[in-house]
Amino acid sequence: MRVQSLTLAAASAALLTPTTLPAAAHHIEQEPVVWREGAVTAADLLARARDCTQVSRGRYRSDDGKPADIPVCGTRDAVFWKADMDIDCDGRPTARCNRRTDPLFSEMTAYQQADGRHLSAEQLPYIVVPMASRIWNHRDHGVRGGSVAAVVYRDRVQYAVVGDVGPHDIIGEASYATARGLGIEPDPRGGGTASGVTYIVFKDSQVKPIEDHAAAVATGERLAKMFVKGK
């Protein structure tokens, strides 16, 4: 079950005018998946994230009604968690992310591009972090909008940025583009995966502008190499 991201401006989301896109949008060809960006392997990242030193005060649910059994773990240089992946299709309306394709669609994301526009979930690989709460305050660990993350699924690695904020008690969500890059079904209605995704966010990292994915990959690969070496 996908849970709608709670962006900083979510209270006004209901006032937005529905977006109408051409019916032909459903027939656009899918882009190739990424499989792996950079030279750091999924196995190396997962080996480094095997052991958990919990840094969150409590634990998160993967979805409404599920047990709160997901801790946020940490090292000197990163925080990470292992969860499911729900699909965030929020932000600027596109062919695959709009009110017709996603019943929980919001035209807002917690963070915006350099030009002031909201992010595009279809185009930009980003992850969602829970809003700050007594369970965990991501800002206390150097995590903010534009922070760089390595998202690992099976033998695949996708670099992304922190691009949206979700419910205070649920973790495990990423953009349409992140899922597509990992070979996960990105459909916001029934896509995602129930388990097996590791989210590694590098502390005090930040890409500016947030929409510069090439910069996220370059920064992510550099920090991932340091992470796996324990330096």
Side-chain angles (χ1 to χ4, degrees):
M1 173 182 174
R2 178 177 177 269
V3 177
Q4 182 179 18
S5 295
L6 301 179
T7 66
L8 299 181
S12 61
L15 301 178
L16 294 173
T17 302
T19 301
T20 302
L21 293 174
H26 287 297
H27 304 292
I28 295 176
E29 294 294 326
Q30 287 278 13
E31 296 177 12
V33 296
V34 170
W35 303 122
R36 189 176 87 200
E37 293 182 312
V40 181
T41 68
D44 287 340
L45 288 166
L46 293 176
R48 184 72 173 93
R50 181 177 295 119
D51 299 323
C52 177
T53 299
Q54 184 170 329
V55 297
S56 57
R57 292 183 179 179
R59 298 190 175 201
Y60 289 96
R61 305 177 190 278
S62 60
D63 292 298
D64 279 332
K66 295 292 181 67
D69 57 3
I70 303 171
V72 176
C73 311
T75 67
R76 181 183 62 183
D77 300 317
V79 294
F80 60 90
W81 55 92
K82 302 174 183 179
D84 64 340
M85 181 181 286
D86 294 323
I87 307 302
D88 186 333
C89 228
D90 295 339
R92 297 202 317 277
T94 61
R96 298 185 182 92
C97 290
N98 58 73
R99 293 186 185 280
R100 186 180 62 252
T101 62
D102 181 2
L104 297 177
F105 178 75
S106 169
E107 291 189 9
M108 301 179 185
T109 49
Y111 307 105
Q112 291 79 50
Q113 296 185 165
D115 61 6
R117 293 189 299 167
H118 290 277
L119 306 181
S120 168
E122 181 181 336
Q123 298 169 3
L124 181 67
Y126 69 72
I127 68 168
V128 180
V129 296
M131 67 170 58
S133 71
R134 294 180 62 184
I135 299 175
W136 181 56
N137 186 339
H138 55 273
R139 292 188 292 266
D140 291 342
H141 295 265
V143 176
R144 54 190 180 268
S147 288
V148 180
V151 189
V152 185
Y153 179 66
R154 297 179 178 172
D155 60 347
R156 305 161 193 174
V157 180
Q158 168 78 73
Y159 291 108
V161 291
V162 172
D164 208 354
V165 172
H168 75 280
D169 60 343
I170 292 176
I171 204 166
E173 188 175 2
S175 69
Y176 183 108
T178 305
R180 181 182 59 205
L182 291 168
I184 295 171
E185 172 54 58
D187 181 2
R189 288 182 180 270
T193 184
S195 63
V197 182
T198 299
Y199 303 78
I200 303 168
V201 187
F202 303 110
K203 295 180 180 179
D204 299 315
S205 62
Q206 191 172 37
V207 169
K208 291 184 178 181
I210 193 172
E211 66 270 22
D212 188 345
H213 181 59
V217 173
T219 300
E221 184 172 8
R222 175 175 59 81
L223 296 176
K225 289 177 180 178
M226 297 172 63
F227 176 71
V228 300
K229 292 178 181 178
K231 296 180 180 180

